[in-house]
Every structure is written in structure tokens, then in C-alpha cells.
């Protein structure tokens, strides 16, 4: 079978290796260089229950469902957690070197909302970079046709099936045909003014799949990581740092999370991110402090060499001073709706990794489950390529009907479109707290921008903008339809929500 895989993060690379090992002819197309995107930025690690650790798959399943606010699919979660040992074996077979403890066993870290230390890591805090290095080398060594600098424009269909894709190559276009297409194009962090993801995370696969008619699901659930460095040139400060014992303090040095959740700094990510945003709003937008000083210079440098170096490059020494942090967009729980075999609602089209909504993350992803999901569902999708069976109907997102644009008062003033205007709008109204009035205003602005944009887009930047506008509108409408708060989706106008103020964010502010 000729298989076209689009995207070269952990999901796409894993699928390419699996498909090649299964004897398929594999074309791996990626928008930049092989191994770009968000995977190399992953710090914390990969959650996995391994034999002989005293941990259990049942506990991992329970933690995942709890963090997901009960919205996850229990069957998909059980598959995910139960397949971890095989996923780790596949990564090691491809050359990944996980960190080892003094006794020679794989070192295991703790992260928020996990009931056990089950996070495998590599290079201390460079887990994604190590996985990407190993998988890219394995792909280069395999007989895989790698096509770099291929920006996905549209999916191609024939006879009721997806049959390939059309790509932008510079200013020209190229078509690639295949028996099956696996989308592994990642999320859409570029929607937001503050994000931990790569700027190339423009949701291209999800937008192209939606235009082709694939169902999307759970797209209102966007996760905000609690701790990005609150300085220009921001970057992620791993959850694993709090797992090692770092604390969060407000401007007066007080630990504010002890009053919010029994697990304090190790509460689920959505809880911590919202508590930080509320504290920042109270303090005029100034970031909170991450205090890791008590861990000591030696331990910080050994366990978190990447973060230590990034901070030092910015003149910060976290063994001696607190570090200013604030939430930033991090991960999209929703995406192309798939079954547990990675199959979308369009025959011939599979989706894996962050582009997919497999149901494992529910309304809020448990830390370090994303790398695991990428490997497990890459293997599921490849196994499904040759398995017969009908394609399923999707449940999809059922947004409210569009607002009657004509009768609605124009938002005043309606800003002109620019990427940064879009990112500011999404940060304010599709961010940590949403409300009906803000969502209505956002929909009207987005529909005006979509109506006025040149169509079809000419060139890659214009195509990215089209994708971002369309996805923002879809998220807005899904968020409007979900009138009550759940997991990462907080409706400030839900009477059950806490009365904390709207987040004010000054990521560039100094302490
Ligand atoms: C982190 O290191 O905090 C990120 C891990 C994740 O997103 O699962």
C-alpha cells in the first residue's frame, strides 16, 4: 500500500517507521525540515506504567480520566495506558535513550495529577529532542521517501475516499497521491498570543480535514500550561520542575495554591493555570513566581540542564532567585475526530497525535500523556491500514447556528486583520476564561475577517492565516455551544464557575 504521512513530529515519525516495517511504501511529507515542530520542545517526558515498578495501568487510567474531568473515553484511555510498555519498546528500538537511575532501571519522574512517579525522561528535560533525534535518524536510515518543505494546502479525494494531498512548495503547488493519508500535523498554538508551541503550529491538517468534510470534536478544549517563562523570548518551564518540589508564590511570597486544591502545585494543569491567572489579575497582570531555590544548583543543573541553560542565556539563575511565570497555550485536546484505530470520518483519512481527537484527553490532558498517545495511536493507525471494516460516522462538534450577522450590532471598533490581532482576540476570548458576550464578539469579528480575506489564499502565509481564522471560528462556535464549564473550558458566565476576575496577562512584564 502507498501511504502518505503528513507531519514529522513524534506521531508522524512513529507512523512512518511502523508503516515501513509493515511493508508499505511510505512518503513522509513535512512542512519544514524533518523533525521540526513541537516534539523537540517537549521537556517533561512520556508517561508509562512499566512492569516491576509497583505502579498499575488502572491507576494511570484513573488519573487520566480524572484530569480529563470525566470527559475522556474510558476505552480509549485504557488502550492508551495499557499500550505504554510496547510504545516505550518501540521508541527504544528506534534508538531513544531514556535516562537511567543509579540502579540501571529507567529513571521515573513525578508530574502534576499523577498518583505515581511514572514519567520517563531523556537528557533530563530534553525528552522530546532525544526522541526526535532517534526517530529522525531511524527514518533517514529506512527506505522512506522524505519530502521536506511541503506545506499542506488541501486534501484530495476521489470515489468517496481521501486519495492524497496538494502541497504548497514555495509559490508552486504539488500533488501527491496515495492509498491512505495519515495526518500528523500537530495543533494550533499559533492561534494564541502566548504559546509554548512552535510558531509553525497553525493547525494546517485540522483545517484541511475540516474543509474536506471530516468531523472535528472537542475543539473547545484548549490546554494552557501553567508555567511559561514570563519574559520576552518565553519558553516552557516543565511541570516536572514542580514534580521535583518547586513552589508557586504570589507577589508577596505566599503559596496561593494551597488554598485552591489539596494537591496544591501538583493539582491538574487547568486548575493550576486558572489559579495563576486569577492571582495575576489580582496583582495587576504581574506574573507569579516559581521558586526552585531549595532544590539547589547542582540538582537543578543535573535534572533540568536545558531549562537551566535557557534561563542562564537570559541572565537568570534559578538556584538563587525566583523565576517569573505565567500560563501560555500549550495543547489542543480536540481535533479531527477518530476512533481508536486512528480513523477519521472520511474514508482513507487517518489522524494521529495532537491533530487528532482520540478521546484519551477528555477536557484536560494529563501531563506527559501526549507523547504516549502519539506513539500508541500511530501504531493503531498503521495496523488499521490493512484491516477491513466500515468507516464510522462521527459525533463531531455541533456548534450553535451562526449568529445572524446582519441583525447584530457591529463590534465597535472592529480591528483590521493581522496575525497578532487574531492572536490577541483568541487570547482574550478563547483563552482561560470565556463568556457569551466575548464569544459573540469574537464570532462577528472572525466572520468579517473571513468574508474580507482573498480566496483562495495565495502563498503559504496567506494559507496559514486562512487556517487560523477558520479554526478560531470553529472553536468560538464550539465554545459558545458549551455553556457550562468543564476541564480546560471555563465559562465565566456559568453560575457554578468561581468568581475570579478575567485574566490579565503581561508575559513580557518583569517581576
Ligand atoms: C511539561 O514538561 O510540563 C510538558 C509536558 C506535557 O505537556 O505533557
Amino acid at each position: 500500500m502507498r501511504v502518505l504521512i503528513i507531519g514529522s513530529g513524534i506521531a508522524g515519525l512513529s507512523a512512518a517507521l511502523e508503516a515501513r516495517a509493515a511493508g508499505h511504501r511510505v512518503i513522509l511529507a513535512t512542512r519544514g525540515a524533518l523533525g521540526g515542530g513541537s516534539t523537540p520542545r517537549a521537556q517533561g517526558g512520556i508517561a508509562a506504567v512499566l512492569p516491576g515498578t509497583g505502579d498499575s495501568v488502572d491507576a494511570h487510567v484513573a488519573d487520566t480520566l480524572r484530569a480529563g474531568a470525566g470527559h475522556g473515553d474510558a476505552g480509549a484511555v485504557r488502550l492508551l495506558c495499557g499500550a505504554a510498555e510496547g510504545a516505550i519498546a518501540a521508541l527504544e528500538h528506534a534508538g531513544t535513550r531514556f535516562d537511567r537511575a543509579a540502579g540501571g532501571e529507567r529513571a521515573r519522574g513525578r508530574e502534576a495529577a499523577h498518583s505515581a512517579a511514572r514519567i520517563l525522561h531523556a537528557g533530563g528535560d530534553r525528552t522530546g529532542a532525544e526522541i526526535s533525534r532517534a526517530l529522525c535518524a531511524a527514518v533517514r536510515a529506512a527506505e522512506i521517501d522524505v519530502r521536506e518543505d511541503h506545506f499542506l494546502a488541501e486534501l484530495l479525494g476521489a470515489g468517496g475516499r481521501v486519495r492524497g494531498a496538494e502541497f504548497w512548495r514555495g509559490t508552486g503547488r504539488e500533488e501527491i497521491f496515495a492509498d491512505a493519508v495519515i495526518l500528523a500535523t500537530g495543533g494550533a498554538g499559533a492561534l494564541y498570543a502566548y504559546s509554548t508551541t512552535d510558531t509553525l503550529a497553525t493547525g494546517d491538517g485540522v483545517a484541511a480535514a475540516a474543509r474536506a468534510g471530516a468531523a472535528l470534536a472537542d475543539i473547545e478544549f484548549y490546554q494552557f500550561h501553567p508555567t511559561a517563562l514570563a519574559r520576552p523570548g518565553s519558553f516552557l518551564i516543565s511541570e516536572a520542575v514542580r514534580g521535583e518540589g518547586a513552589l508557586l508564590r504570589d507577589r508577596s511570597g505566599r503559596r496561593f495554591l494551597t488554598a485552591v486544591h489539596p494537591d496544591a502545585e501538583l493539582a491538574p494543569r487547568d486548575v493550576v493555570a486558572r489559579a495563576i491567572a486569577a492571582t495575576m489579575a489580582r496583582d495587576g497582570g504581574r506574573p507569579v513566581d516559581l521558586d526552585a531555590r531549595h532544590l539547589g544548583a547542582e540538582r537543578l543543573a543535573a535534572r533540568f540542564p536545558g531549562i537551566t541553560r535557557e534561563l542562564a542565556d537570559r541572565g537568570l539563575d534559578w538556584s538563587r532567585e525566583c523565576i517569573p511565570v505565567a500560563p501560555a497555550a500549550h495543547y489542543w485536546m480536540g481535533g479531527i475526530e477518530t476512533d481508536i484505530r486512528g480513523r477519521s470520518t472520511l474514508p482513507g483519512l487517518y489522524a494521529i497525535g495532537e491533530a487528532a481527537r482520540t478521546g484519551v484527553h477528555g477536557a484536560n490532558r494529563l501531563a506527559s500523556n501526549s507523547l504516549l498517545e502519539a506513539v500508541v495511536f500511530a501504531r493503531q493507525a498503521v495496523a488499521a491500514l490493512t484491516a477491513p471494516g466500515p468507516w464510522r460516522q462521527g459525533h463531531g462538534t455541533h456548534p450553535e447556528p451562526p449568529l445572524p450577522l446582519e441583525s447584530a450590532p457591529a463590534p465597535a471598533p472592529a480591528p483590521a486583520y493581522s496575525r497578532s490581532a487574531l492572536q490577541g482576540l483568541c487570547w482574550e476570548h478563547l483563552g482561560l476564561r470565556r463568556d457569551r458576550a466575548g464569544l459573540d464578539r469574537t464570532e462577528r469579528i472572525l466572520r468579517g475577517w473571513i468574508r474580507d480575506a482573498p480566496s483562495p489564499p495565495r502563498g503559504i502565509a496567506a494559507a496559514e492565516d486562512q487556517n487560523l481564522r477558520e479554526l478560531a471560528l470553529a472553536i468560538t462556535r464550539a465554545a459558545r455551544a458549551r455553556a457550562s464549564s468543564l476541564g480546560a473550558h471555563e465559562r465565566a458566565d456559568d453560575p457554578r464557575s468561581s468568581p475570579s476576575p478575567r485574566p490579565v496577562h503581561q508575559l513580557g512584564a518583569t517581576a
Side-chain angles (χ1 to χ4, degrees), residues 43-44 111 225 236 238-240 269 330 365-370:
Q43 296 176 356
E111 285 181 10
H225 196 288
L236 176 70
S238 176
E239 187 110 27
R269 210 170 258 183
H330 184 59
R365 177 173 64 79
L366 182 65
S368 287
N369 268 357
S370 54

Side-chain angles (χ1 to χ4, degrees), residues 28-39:
L28 178 58
T30 186
R31 63 168 296 182
L34 189 73
S38 295
T39 295

Side-chain angles (χ1 to χ4, degrees), residues 105-432:
E105 72 280 14
R106 295 180 197 85
R108 287 174 285 124
R110 179 94 195 265
E111 285 181 10
H114 284 274
S115 57
R118 62 168 75 101
I119 316 301
L120 308 195
H121 46 84
D125 56 3
R126 296 182 38 79
T127 311
E130 165 59 10
I131 290 173
S132 185
R133 177 204 65 74
L135 296 183
C136 285
V139 162
R140 293 248 186 245
E143 285 174 29
I144 292 171
D145 179 357
V146 175
R147 311 270 183 100
E148 296 180 309
D149 299 317
H150 279 60
F151 177 90
L152 174 63
E154 301 295 351
L155 294 169
L156 300 172
R161 282 183 72 86
V162 171
R163 295 280 181 193
E166 182 175 24
F167 296 89
W168 283 99
R169 301 229 45 221
T171 51
R173 309 265 275 213
E174 180 182 323
E175 293 178 340
I176 300 178
F177 293 95
D179 301 306
V181 175
I182 301 180
L183 284 177
T185 44
L191 280 170
Y192 290 98
Y194 307 106
S195 170
T196 63
T197 58
D198 193 273
T199 51
L200 300 185
T202 46
D204 312 319
V206 183
R211 282 194 294 273
L216 308 184
D218 285 347
I219 56 174
E220 63 273 37
F221 299 112
Y222 215 108
Q223 181 170 79
F224 296 83
H225 196 288
T227 56
L229 179 71
R231 285 276 171 91
S234 168
F235 69 96
L236 176 70
I237 309 238
S238 176
E239 187 110 27
V241 175
R242 278 173 285 126
E244 290 286 320
L247 304 172
L248 286 162
R249 300 187 187 280
D250 66 13
R251 304 309 313 157
S252 57
R254 195 179 56 93
R255 280 180 71 196
F256 53 93
L257 274 153
T258 47
V260 174
H261 194 278
D263 294 334
E265 281 84 357
L266 294 182
R269 210 170 258 183
D270 59 327
V271 174
V272 179
R274 272 198 295 273
I276 292 176
T279 304
M280 289 174 62
R282 212 191 48 216
D283 287 342
R286 287 190 300 164
V288 301
D289 276 340
L290 183 70
D291 185 357
R293 291 171 298 179
H294 53 288
L295 300 180
E298 208 175 312
R299 182 164 162 206
L300 287 170
R303 177 68 180 86
F304 304 110
I307 300 173
T308 303
R309 201 168 35 248
E310 292 277 0
L311 290 173
D313 287 350
R314 291 162 178 79
L316 296 167
D317 176 356
W318 62 338
S319 70
R320 299 163 67 93
E321 59 193 317
C322 290
I323 299 300
V325 292
H330 184 59
Y331 188 89
W332 201 4
M333 274 73 71
I336 302 163
E337 183 181 347
T338 72
D339 61 13
I340 58 169
R341 304 161 86 193
R343 302 187 308 175
S344 77
T345 56
L346 289 183
L349 181 67
Y350 299 74
I352 54 176
E354 193 176 348
R357 180 275 184 196
T358 59
V360 298
H361 304 310
N364 176 47
R365 177 173 64 79
L366 182 65
S368 287
N369 268 357
S370 54
L371 296 180
L372 178 62
E373 184 205 27
V375 180
V376 168
F377 284 86
R379 305 179 87 204
Q380 290 288 109
V382 170
L385 287 173
T386 47
W391 287 71
R392 68 200 288 262
Q393 298 295 306
H395 303 297
T397 293
H398 301 290
E400 289 188 332
L403 290 178
L405 201 55
E406 308 69 34
S407 61
Y417 179 78
S418 67
R419 181 78 64 92
S420 61
L422 172 83
Q423 290 168 332
L425 187 72
C426 290
W427 182 261
E428 187 169 0
H429 295 299
L430 302 180
L432 280 146

